[in-house]
Amino acid sequence: MVYIIIMKQLKAEQTSAQLNAVIEAMPEAVYIGNMHGITHCNTAALKMLGANSLKDLQERIGELGRKYNVRWPDSGRALREDELQFTRALNGETVIEEVLATNAETGKDVYIRSADAPVILNGEILGAVAINSDITESILLRQELEKTKDKYEILFNSIEEGFAHYQAIYDSNGILDDLLLLDINPAGAKLSGRPRKEQVGKTWKQVWTGIEDSLFDIYREVDKSGKIKRFEHFSGVTHRWYSNKIYKIGNDQFAVTFYDITERKDAEESLKTREAQLDAFFANSPAILNLVDEKFCYINTDRVTPTYYGLDRETIKGKSVRDLSKDFLEQTGAPMKRVLETGETILNAEFEAPVPGKGGELAYWRTSFFRVPLGNDKWGVGVISLEVTDIKISEQKLRESENRFRLLADNISQFAWIADKNGEIQWYNKRWYDYTDTTFEDVAGWGWKKVHHPDHINRVIDRFKNAVAKKEQWEDTFPMLGKDGKYRWFLSRALPVRDEAGNVSNWFGTNTDITERLQTEEALKENEQRLRGIYDNAAVGIAETDREHRYIDVNERLCRILKYSREELKGRNVSEITHPDDRQKTAMLYKQLYNGESDIINYEKRYLKKDGTDVWVHVTKSAIYDSKGNFIKSINTIEDITERKDAENAVRRSDAILKQAGNMANLGAWEIELITVEEFNKNPLYWSEQVFRIFGYEPGSVYVSIDLFFRHMHPDDRQKISALIDEAIKNRSSFNMEHRIRRSDGDERIVDEHVEILYDQKGEPVRITGAIQDITEQKSTEKKLYEALQEAEEGKNILTALMEYIPIGITIADAPDVNIRIVSRYGQNLLEKPDDQITGIPAPEHSSKWGIYRSDALTPGQPEELPLSRATMNGEIVKNEEWYVTRSDGTLIPILCNAAPILDKKGKINGGVIGWQDIADLKRIEKEMQQRNEELSRFIYTVSHDLKSPLVTIKMFTSYLRDDFKTSDPAQFEKDLAYVENAADKMGTLLNEILQVSRIGRKEEPRTEVSLEKIVKEAVDLLAGTISKRGVKLIISAAPVIIYGYAQRFRQLFQNLIDNAVKFMGDQPNPEIEIGTYIDEGRNDKIVIFVRDNGIGIDPQLQHKLFGLFEKLDPKSEGTGIGLAIVKRIVDVHGGKIWVSSEGEGKGTTFHFTLEKTRIKI
Amino acid sequence: MKSVENLHILYVEDDPAHAEFTVRNFRKYRIGKQIIHLDDGLEALDYLFFRGKYSNHESAPRPDLIVLDLRLPKVDGLEVLKTIKEDELLRCIPVVILTTSEADTDIARAYSYYANSYLQKPLDVSKFSEMIESFGLYWELWNKYAGCNEAVE
């Protein structure tokens, strides 16, 4: 179009100016030119290429192509000159192509659509015209569009989220009926579980047969509202959960994005499970376990907490602790708040608070608080609480007892410490710390080393370790550093403390300050040295002389006095250098000394010096004796009388030292200056300040006298004290006394006094000094301790005595394992078992070690059913149960048991006790009683029948006799009378025999040992008539046996048996009776006695009736049937058994029996 | 039905004196045609079960009535009663206990073993006679109402 217009214009107006005006008006860039360059162009053309003026373009076309970097847009290759559209137009071609050029001014690339055509006039190409459009923007736009399209493709294909595009299909009523899948991305296909190609272009109903209509409802809703809809659903096809988001596009299309949320659903599921678990955890917590929110409202609790408020776990939720329990909140409110605010965890805080809902009953709680996230930046508090009242109380008790101990320990004057069994010190008393100025952390274990002197520490440790290893008492003396930086000396002792089992559990040690004592010793040593110094450097001459008065040693001073050398004097006799006038006196006095007439002699004499001059000296001689009183040597001091003053000074110095020592003793001190021994009370008494205080006075506030002292003395002690003082003066001894005083305020105290009496050179008492100390506290502590020990000892003694002497079995066991602790002596003796089978046995072994059986004496007792176990483990009180225990020899003893738990003050089971009694005798008596009763009722039954029988007969026939009398039939009369007589006789016999039976077993004579043979002979003698009448041959084959019991009854026994045998001999032509013995192995080798006959024998079926009272097998036989009943009774009374054997009728009978304590005669 | 005077009675009693006066009274009131007296329980059972010396059936004709003392040698009266009542053929023979025992246990046990009657030997002769006399009446009544006799015949 443009081109044609230009042509027309060119044709119409040929002038250059006009052309310029025309092309200027065109919006596109217009270039007109020839091979040599552009001749006309508009401003748009200049602007497009960044040219300043036409001049820039008036170059060869090929040059212009290079200048503006014209190139192909796709390859970027520069266009050759012949490829340039303008060149080609000059060659007659019409071209529309796109190129890329660079704007010279901006340097930016410009896309150009170039339309070029030749300008032909009259068939001749005059030039070419190019109309170029800047298409940079549209190109870029297109490129951008293509890029977006790629992005969409990439997105569509690669996102993990499913994306589907649907076309709605409506039914005839215009209601959405199905969805046609236009496209689905690969992720969507994958999520849906079907390949893409199986779905695209098909409807839901075609692809997913049986799809729920409810799904369509969701689309219908979106279709109607046009709003985005999000929903979750579970696919029955893939068995997974999806989250879906539906957008409506246009009028009838939907885009759906969806993704798999199965894992999230699973996580939700497991969250629910975890919540349920947490809830179960809460519900079943044995401790108080609460979770509250920031307003202290319950979120979850254990089962117990709600019951405090009469609620249950559900109803308490949401209720605030503030409303439920003010008391409890008082204690827990602050920590809960703190935990909430700071996030710190409070562990095991203890407090006292009433049990909620229990009316103020106080309990100790040990509670932990911790912060719990509740989600959404909210926090709650978890509270775990345990009631620890029991623990608290025992802790408190422990503390109290510890405190008591500490009080005592801290107040004793010594240091005290306790080490564990390995010697590691775990405790020191207060004084220890006071002295050393340390803390426990400094000196725990072996830390005490640091207060010891480096020169001693290794020895101390070695010896202490050695003592610990050997478990022996330890003692050592060593210096310890005090807080004043000075060492003091201590004597330390430690004793092992043993537990009940005798093992060392601790060491208890004390340190006693012995510095003073040592100082005294030190001073003594010093004195010795000083003495030596004095000896050598003394102002007096000193000499030791032997028996013969020869010099053994002399000091320097003496040498100087006498002008002899030491060597010259040693061995020389004193009289040689004594002035001749004094020689006799010297010898005489020395003799007194050496004979023991006096032990010290003072005199003055003259010596002869070496130079022959004499010197006056004062000599003091004292003798030294050995333990037997023999004179060893004499010590002599020889004083140049002019030098005496110096010696006196030395004495004064020594006094001062003594006084200082007194001050250091730190006791109340007093002194009586003994002016008159006769009137003791008149002597002046001096008190130190401490003494005033002991007596309840301000120091110096009262005039002190011996009378005052005695007034304060307890009246009962006065006599004793006076006597002690008198005796001390007499014996020149010091003494200790403990006595009571009454203080000025009337308080009675106990004091300890140490009294010393000082004598002058003549041996006269000059002073009484004493130290006094108030020891009341110490005493009362001792006394209380003693009383407590006494009481415990008493209780223990009672128990011991009880266990030793009580005549029943008592077993005490410890809870909870029912370990047998102690068994009464009676019980031990009854069981006859070694100790290790009786005590120290836990429950599971009771039954086997003690051999315990149930009352059937067969079933072993199960550990948990034994009375002691039930008492100890369950707190059951067991009354009068029967069990069996086994002695060491295997015999079972029936015992009657009563058991009960041993409870402590709080009702907790500490142990159990069982009392048990041997009831073997009781059972035997019971059994005997039962037998006796049965026997008695049988007896009464039999007697009533058998006694009545003859009575009936008598009654009957006496009436017949009356008839006989009337009818006067003498024969019948005789006959009937005989019946009456017989019956009466029988009755008489019966009564006699009943009497006999009843007598057996009664104590009539003492039981004795008798010879069987003798008894048999006596019985045979009594029956001699009967035996000989029947012509029975008697064989006695009994072994020499001794039987024990009632001889009279034994005779009766044999009499009845032999009589019985004769009676039932039948028509035996050679009747024989044998009496003998044998040993029955089947009955523990018991000796069995038998009586055998060869008479009629007994039907085995009837043998059981044989021994019954009034039992007769043959009604025609003589007797009442009582004979064998008597025999049986006698055997029973003698603890035996009787039985019979017979092979049957006509085959003879043998009676066998045993008797208790039968033995072979030795 | 046999009349009282034609009865065949088996009488077991160990006391000869008691046997004497009982038999005398049976005679006096014309009770029984034949009275067999045995003096212990074992022999009574031998008789009834054709054992021992009674193994020949003719030697032991069936009784119409058995009169039994309780305390018997060898085999006790109650034991005899029990054995009779346990036997199918013998159990229809009426058994009358005639004894001195007044013990309740004896009476109770006798009835529990199906004794047909329990009579105590009174200490009075006239009473005893009365008892035996009324026994005749008792027998007739018993036979009228109990229908067991045919089996024995």
Side-chain angles (χ1 to χ4, degrees):
Chain A
M1 264 282 281
V2 172
Y3 168 63
I4 295 165
I5 292 166
I6 293 170
M7 284 299 108
K8 279 183 182 166
Q9 294 283 344
L10 279 174
K11 277 178 189 169
E13 294 165 83
Q14 297 261 327
T15 65
S16 182
Q18 283 170 326
L19 184 65
N20 278 341
V22 172
I23 57 174
E24 193 62 40
M26 291 179 65
E28 276 87 14
V30 180
Y31 305 90
I32 299 167
N34 54 38
M35 279 292 287
H36 307 287
I38 302 300
T39 52
H40 295 85
C41 75
N42 58 4
T43 313
L46 290 174
K47 200 176 174 190
M48 179 183 280
L49 291 176
N52 293 322
S53 65
L54 182 65
K55 216 176 167 185
D56 289 349
L57 302 173
Q58 285 172 341
E59 286 178 66
R60 222 183 124 87
I61 296 305
E63 283 301 314
L64 288 174
R66 275 191 292 277
K67 186 174 177 182
Y68 294 102
N69 193 21
V70 178
R71 53 200 194 275
W72 294 112
D74 295 337
S75 60
R77 181 172 64 80
L79 271 72
R80 291 189 309 268
E81 187 166 5
D82 60 312
E83 282 176 328
L84 287 168
Q85 287 79 15
F86 203 83
T87 311
R88 283 153 64 197
L90 285 172
N91 291 331
E93 204 181 332
T94 300
V95 188
I96 301 176
E97 275 178 356
E98 288 174 5
V99 292
L100 190 59
T102 304
N103 183 303
E105 193 184 330
T106 63
K108 279 185 180 166
D109 284 348
V110 188
Y111 283 91
I112 300 166
R113 184 184 287 131
S114 180
D116 297 71
V119 178
I120 302 168
L121 191 69
N122 302 325
E124 191 189 342
I125 298 171
L126 295 177
V129 60
I131 299 168
N132 289 2
S133 316
D134 184 340
I135 54 165
T136 307
E137 267 180 39
S138 71
I139 287 284
L140 285 177
L141 210 64
R142 197 173 66 211
Q143 279 179 351
E144 203 59 38
L145 192 71
E146 267 168 17
K147 260 191 227 163
T148 310
K149 201 178 153 208
D150 286 348
K151 270 189 198 159
Y152 172 76
E153 284 291 320
I154 291 165
L155 189 70
F156 185 78
N157 288 320
S158 61
I159 54 168
E160 282 176 28
E161 203 167 335
F163 178 81
H165 187 189
Y166 294 105
Q167 168 73 53
I169 296 170
Y170 300 92
D171 63 8
S172 53
N173 298 321
I175 292 168
L176 190 143
D177 184 49
D178 204 350
L179 290 163
L180 175 71
L181 180 68
L182 297 174
D183 203 356
I184 186 163
N185 70 342
K190 200 175 165 197
L191 284 168
S192 74
R194 291 257 175 113
R196 187 162 171 264
K197 59 186 176 198
E198 285 179 18
Q199 300 185 56
V200 175
K202 289 182 182 158
T203 72
W204 267 14
K205 285 187 179 173
Q206 287 167 338
V207 177
W208 313 106
T209 42
I211 191 162
E212 309 96 304
D213 195 53
S214 59
L215 266 178
F216 289 114
D217 282 343
I218 297 166
Y219 283 86
R220 283 171 194 134
E221 189 193 323
V222 175
D223 194 25
K224 215 170 151 188
S225 68
K227 284 181 185 161
I228 295 167
K229 170 84 179 175
R230 195 192 286 270
F231 72 99
E232 287 173 0
H233 97 278
F234 180 75
S235 161
V237 179
T238 58
H239 297 283
R240 298 191 75 85
W241 278 92
Y242 299 100
S243 170
N244 302 281
K245 207 172 181 182
I246 311 173
Y247 311 82
K248 191 171 179 189
I249 306 173
N251 283 332
D252 56 357
Q253 289 190 358
F254 298 101
V256 183
T257 59
F258 57 101
Y259 54 94
D260 190 332
I261 53 163
T262 313
E263 282 171 14
R264 195 192 82 203
K265 281 279 176 188
D266 286 350
E268 279 173 7
E269 200 58 37
S270 74
L271 186 69
K272 268 183 206 157
T273 313
R274 234 172 296 143
E275 273 172 0
Q277 282 168 350
L278 191 67
D279 190 57
F281 180 66
F282 267 101
N284 299 309
S285 164
I288 301 290
L289 179 56
N290 296 327
L291 178 61
V292 299
D293 63 15
E294 81 278 3
K295 285 176 181 147
F296 301 161
C297 292
Y298 285 103
I299 295 170
N300 208 340
T301 76
D302 61 300
R303 282 209 178 90
V304 177
T305 305
T307 61
Y308 289 148
Y309 312 110
L311 297 169
D312 59 37
R313 292 186 64 231
E314 285 312 312
T315 51
I316 199 169
K317 282 181 188 167
K319 294 215 167 48
S320 173
V321 183
R322 289 181 213 278
D323 303 331
L324 293 173
S325 172
K326 288 237 163 51
D327 289 334
F328 216 66
L329 191 72
E330 253 173 48
Q331 300 290 347
T332 60
M336 288 204 290
K337 213 173 155 201
R338 198 166 95 212
V339 166
L340 259 183
E341 284 166 2
T342 64
E344 79 177 285
T345 296
I346 300 176
L347 282 178
N348 297 331
E350 283 180 4
F351 58 82
E352 199 180 12
V355 181
K358 283 207 174 162
E361 181 190 320
L362 278 177
Y364 285 98
W365 304 87
R366 181 173 294 160
T367 308
S368 295
F369 302 92
F370 47 96
R371 197 163 74 165
V372 180
L374 300 177
N376 296 332
D377 289 336
K378 292 205 169 179
W379 297 95
V381 183
V383 183
I384 298 176
S385 193
L386 266 176
E387 202 203 308
V388 293
T389 313
D390 285 0
I391 302 169
K392 268 313 249 209
I393 288 173
S394 38
E395 275 177 3
Q396 217 164 347
K397 278 194 179 159
L398 187 69
R399 240 188 337 263
E400 277 167 16
S401 88
E402 257 181 31
N403 281 345
R404 278 201 296 275
F405 167 72
R406 291 256 149 94
L407 195 71
L408 188 68
D410 284 342
N411 284 297
I412 61 173
S413 58
Q414 293 162 313
F415 300 167
W417 45 268
I418 294 173
D420 69 8
K421 62 176 179 201
N422 301 318
E424 303 221 352
I425 300 188
Q426 297 163 319
W427 174 85
Y428 298 93
N429 70 345
K430 193 166 162 291
R431 289 195 186 222
W432 208 91
Y433 295 119
D434 287 350
Y435 173 75
T436 57
D437 193 26
T438 53
T439 62
F440 179 67
E441 286 68 33
D442 294 339
V443 291
W446 299 88
W448 46 268
K449 289 179 200 172
K450 61 175 70 96
V451 296
H452 275 241
H453 196 285
D455 293 351
H456 294 267
I457 185 64
N458 290 337
R459 181 200 75 240
V460 172
I461 289 179
D462 284 352
R463 287 176 59 179
F464 184 55
K465 280 187 174 166
N466 193 34
V468 169
K470 288 184 174 165
K471 300 177 169 94
E472 283 171 355
Q473 180 178 343
W474 169 75
E475 187 179 311
D476 206 344
T477 308
F478 47 78
M480 267 170 71
L481 188 63
K483 60 182 164 196
D484 56 1
K486 286 177 186 161
Y487 283 98
R488 287 181 75 83
W489 279 86
F490 289 86
L491 168 66
S492 186
R493 288 196 181 100
L495 283 169
V497 180
R498 290 173 192 275
D499 61 18
E500 284 173 5
N503 298 320
V504 173
S505 61
N506 286 98
W507 290 81
F508 183 80
T510 58
N511 297 10
T512 311
D513 187 340
I514 52 160
T515 311
E516 265 97 51
R517 205 175 83 194
L518 282 186
Q519 276 177 349
T520 314
E521 280 170 18
E522 202 67 33
L524 200 70
K525 246 184 241 167
E526 231 172 80
N527 271 351
E528 251 171 37
Q529 276 171 1
R530 194 178 295 154
L531 207 67
R532 186 71 224 176
I534 290 167
Y535 188 77
D536 279 331
N537 305 307
V540 289
I542 300 169
E544 284 174 49
T545 50
D546 68 6
R547 236 177 115 92
E548 271 75 43
H549 215 186
R550 284 186 302 239
Y551 285 112
I552 302 166
D553 197 5
V554 293
N555 75 342
E556 216 30 61
R557 178 68 187 161
L558 187 62
C559 296
R560 279 209 299 276
I561 292 170
L562 299 178
K563 309 277 188 212
Y564 282 100
S565 74
R566 188 175 285 182
E567 281 65 38
E568 286 171 320
L569 285 174
K570 272 188 185 173
R572 193 181 281 246
N573 197 294
V574 175
S575 70
E576 280 178 46
I577 52 163
T578 301
H579 193 279
D581 291 349
D582 293 328
R583 274 179 193 160
Q584 200 184 348
K585 179 171 81 177
T586 303
M588 193 191 72
L589 285 169
Y590 196 68
K591 203 177 169 189
Q592 277 179 16
L593 192 71
Y594 135 102
N595 283 342
E597 288 166 31
S598 59
D599 51 14
I600 188 155
I601 295 160
N602 285 290
Y603 65 103
E604 288 174 4
K605 66 178 257 191
R606 283 157 296 175
Y607 273 113
L608 289 174
K609 294 198 269 187
K610 199 180 177 183
D611 58 8
T613 56
D614 53 359
V615 57
W616 271 100
V617 290
H618 179 261
V619 178
T620 306
K621 283 181 184 286
S622 58
I624 294 176
Y625 303 96
D626 67 11
S627 58
K628 288 171 190 153
N630 296 319
F631 179 89
I632 300 169
K633 60 183 179 183
S634 163
I635 306 285
N636 315 290
T637 56
I638 301 101
E639 195 185 359
D640 197 334
I641 289 166
T642 53
E643 285 169 358
R644 194 178 274 164
K645 258 194 165 73
D646 290 341
E648 276 172 8
N649 284 342
V651 171
R652 208 166 294 140
R653 200 158 54 241
S654 135
D655 263 0
I657 291 167
L658 203 70
K659 201 171 175 187
Q660 198 184 348
N663 288 342
M664 284 161 92
N666 196 23
L667 295 164
W670 51 265
E671 193 175 285
I672 297 167
E673 205 165 326
L674 267 185
I675 295 166
T676 158
V677 179
E678 287 73 30
E679 287 178 281
F680 186 74
N681 287 0
K682 291 191 173 161
N683 293 307
L685 172 67
Y686 306 102
W687 276 0
S688 75
E689 292 186 353
Q690 189 58 31
V691 185
F692 280 97
R693 291 188 195 103
I694 288 171
F695 282 89
Y697 293 110
E698 279 297 308
S701 64
V702 67
Y703 171 74
V704 178
S705 69
I706 292 175
D707 278 338
L708 179 74
F709 171 73
F710 273 107
R711 272 206 303 283
H712 282 292
M713 178 91 58
H714 192 283
D716 296 352
D717 291 345
R718 278 179 199 152
Q719 197 79 36
K720 189 175 81 187
I721 302 292
S722 298
L724 270 172
I725 294 172
D726 286 350
E727 202 183 318
I729 293 173
K730 212 168 95 195
N731 298 340
R732 301 176 154 237
S733 59
S734 61
F735 64 95
N736 280 307
M737 61 185 181
E738 199 180 291
H739 63 87
R740 291 162 292 173
I741 58 166
R742 289 218 175 107
R743 285 158 55 107
S744 62
D745 56 9
D747 227 20
E748 192 171 298
R749 313 289 292 179
I750 302 167
V751 295
D752 189 21
E753 298 212 45
H754 180 78
V755 183
E756 293 212 11
I757 298 166
L758 303 178
Y759 301 88
D760 65 6
Q761 283 183 332
K762 291 176 208 144
E764 290 298 322
V766 288
R767 267 204 309 275
I768 303 175
T769 62
I772 182 165
Q773 198 174 12
D774 186 333
I775 56 165
T776 315
E777 313 302 330
Q778 196 184 326
K779 274 281 160 188
S780 81
T781 315
E782 273 173 24
K783 198 176 161 204
K784 274 180 199 157
L785 195 70
Y786 178 76
E787 279 168 359
L789 281 173
Q790 201 73 4
E791 199 177 314
E793 191 65 20
E794 229 164 74
K796 209 174 120 196
N797 286 344
I798 290 171
L799 183 68
T800 309
L802 200 70
M803 294 304 275
E804 199 61 30
Y805 300 112
I806 195 165
I808 58 170
I810 289 181
T811 306
I812 296 175
D814 292 327
D817 55 355
V818 207
N819 206 6
I820 293 182
R821 184 145 52 114
I822 183 169
V823 178
S824 65
R825 174 70 55 206
Y826 174 89
Q828 291 183 21
N829 291 346
L830 201 65
L831 292 178
E832 294 178 335
K833 278 177 191 286
D835 272 359
D836 63 345
Q837 286 191 28
I838 294 178
T839 54
I841 302 171
E845 292 170 32
H846 288 186
S847 201
S848 56
K849 289 266 169 76
W850 279 48
I852 302 176
Y853 294 89
R854 289 191 192 163
S855 57
D856 61 4
L858 289 172
T859 322
Q862 296 304 304
E864 66 280 3
E865 71 175 359
L866 302 181
L868 185 57
S869 300
R870 280 151 57 204
T872 312
M873 296 195 295
N874 313 335
E876 193 181 331
I877 291 173
V878 180
K879 282 190 176 165
N880 296 331
E881 275 186 16
E882 216 177 291
W883 291 83
Y884 279 86
V885 290
T886 318
R887 302 165 89 125
S888 61
D889 64 0
T891 46
L892 286 178
I893 314 168
I895 53 171
L896 190 72
C897 302
N898 284 283
I902 301 172
L903 305 174
D904 64 12
K905 280 177 192 166
K906 294 198 73 190
K908 190 173 146 268
I909 301 174
N910 260 351
V913 58
I914 180 168
W916 45 282
Q917 230 174 327
D918 177 1
I919 50 165
D921 286 346
L922 214 68
K923 282 186 80 78
R924 203 188 64 240
I925 290 165
E926 200 178 293
K927 204 173 148 197
E928 271 175 18
M929 282 296 289
Q930 205 178 331
Q931 273 178 356
R932 212 48 96 68
N933 278 342
E934 274 169 26
E935 215 168 76
L936 194 70
S937 63
R938 208 161 52 234
F939 179 77
I940 288 165
Y941 170 79
T942 316
V943 164
S944 72
H945 180 276
D946 286 36
L947 280 180
K948 206 171 155 194
S949 221
L951 212 61
V952 169
T953 308
I954 291 165
K955 264 292 205 185
M956 221 41 100
F957 283 96
T958 45
S959 113
Y960 286 140
L961 283 174
R962 200 171 289 127
D963 290 349
D964 295 342
F965 188 68
K966 283 179 193 154
T967 54
S968 307
D969 183 344
Q972 188 63 35
F973 184 85
E974 274 303 319
K975 204 175 153 194
D976 291 348
L977 192 64
Y979 279 119
V980 176
E981 281 170 356
N982 275 342
D985 285 352
K986 194 175 166 190
M987 234 174 130
T989 317
L990 265 174
L991 287 172
N992 268 335
E993 286 177 340
I994 288 164
L995 214 58
Q996 271 190 32
V997 175
S998 71
R999 272 186 196 139
I1000 301 167
R1002 230 190 270 164
K1003 280 181 190 162
E1004 46 223 307
E1005 51 176 335
R1007 292 188 186 212
T1008 52
E1009 284 206 321
V1010 284
S1011 151
L1012 175 68
E1013 200 188 354
K1014 183 168 171 259
I1015 293 289
V1016 172
K1017 273 191 181 143
E1018 284 168 5
V1020 169
D1021 282 350
L1022 288 169
L1023 290 168
T1026 320
I1027 294 166
S1028 65
K1029 206 166 118 197
R1030 182 65 182 82
V1032 177
K1033 185 183 173 194
L1034 208 66
I1035 305 159
I1036 297 172
S1037 65
V1041 161
I1042 300 289
I1043 52 179
Y1044 175 79
Y1046 304 117
Q1048 171 66 26
R1049 295 295 156 211
F1050 287 147
R1051 274 194 291 277
Q1052 196 176 6
L1053 168 73
F1054 284 102
Q1055 210 178 328
N1056 283 6
L1057 282 174
I1058 296 165
D1059 189 40
N1060 196 67
V1062 173
K1063 219 179 268 174
F1064 297 98
M1065 206 45 96
D1067 46 10
Q1068 172 61 251
N1070 301 308
E1072 255 182 40
I1073 295 174
E1074 186 188 353
I1075 298 160
T1077 54
Y1078 65 93
I1079 289 176
D1080 188 347
E1081 287 169 9
R1083 289 174 193 264
N1084 284 340
D1085 290 339
K1086 275 201 176 130
I1087 298 169
V1088 180
I1089 304 162
F1090 67 86
V1091 176
R1092 173 164 42 226
D1093 65 54
N1094 57 352
I1096 60 171
I1098 300 167
D1099 180 348
Q1101 286 179 358
L1102 304 176
Q1103 285 169 12
H1104 70 279
K1105 293 194 76 173
L1106 216 54
F1107 300 106
L1109 196 59
F1110 304 114
E1111 203 70 75
K1112 294 200 297 184
L1113 296 183
D1114 181 3
K1116 289 180 210 69
S1117 68
E1118 307 158 40
T1120 52
I1122 210 163
L1124 288 178
I1126 290 172
V1127 166
K1128 176 153 196 309
R1129 184 103 181 84
I1130 292 169
V1131 172
D1132 284 350
V1133 163
H1134 290 88
K1137 285 250 157 40
I1138 184 160
W1139 67 101
V1140 69
S1141 67
S1142 172
E1143 305 207 342
E1145 284 184 75
K1147 302 247 172 86
T1149 308
T1150 309
F1151 285 92
H1152 313 254
F1153 60 93
T1154 58
L1155 295 169
E1156 203 176 40
K1157 294 184 182 166
T1158 301
R1159 63 178 177 86
I1160 303 284
K1161 188 194 231 164
I1162 305 159
Chain B
M1 183 192 85
K2 275 187 183 168
S3 62
V4 175
E5 61 267 31
N6 286 328
L7 290 177
H8 175 199
I9 297 171
L10 178 65
Y11 176 38
V12 193
E13 168 66 76
D14 66 325
D15 189 322
H18 287 211
E20 175 70 25
F21 69 70
T22 306
V23 171
R24 276 196 205 175
N25 273 296
F26 278 151
R27 294 265 148 77
K28 185 174 170 191
Y29 296 102
R30 295 173 194 284
I31 292 168
K33 186 175 167 189
Q34 190 185 4
I35 297 169
I36 304 212
H37 168 230
L38 302 176
D39 51 18
D40 70 67
L42 190 62
E43 196 176 0
L45 290 177
D46 284 352
Y47 180 97
L48 289 167
F49 289 93
F50 306 116
R51 291 188 306 221
K53 60 180 177 181
Y54 300 102
S55 52
N56 180 359
H57 284 217
E58 283 169 24
S59 66
R62 300 294 84 184
D64 299 309
L65 173 70
I66 300 167
V67 177
L68 200 58
D69 191 4
L70 282 186
R71 274 191 57 82
L72 292 172
K74 295 183 182 173
V75 178
D76 189 68
L78 282 169
E79 191 63 33
V80 174
L81 170 66
K82 195 173 156 224
T83 314
I84 292 169
K85 292 299 181 185
E86 276 167 0
D87 185 89
E88 291 213 357
L89 288 172
L90 296 175
R91 72 160 63 119
C92 287
I93 304 173
V95 178
V96 173
I97 304 295
L98 181 65
T99 179
T100 49
S101 172
E102 307 170 48
D104 289 343
T105 52
D106 278 345
I107 299 171
R109 281 169 76 199
Y111 280 119
S112 77
Y113 292 146
Y114 308 105
N116 299 76
S117 189
Y118 188 100
L119 303 177
Q120 266 175 35
K121 294 171 186 168
L123 289 176
D124 190 302
V125 180
S126 56
K127 283 242 178 75
F128 191 71
S129 300
E130 252 171 60
M131 201 171 81
I132 297 295
E133 192 184 355
S134 59
F135 180 75
L137 183 68
Y138 169 82
W139 173 254
E140 285 184 10
L141 283 172
W142 194 86
N143 275 294
K144 210 175 259 180
Y145 298 106
C148 201
N149 283 43
E150 284 86 41
V152 183
E153 304 238 309

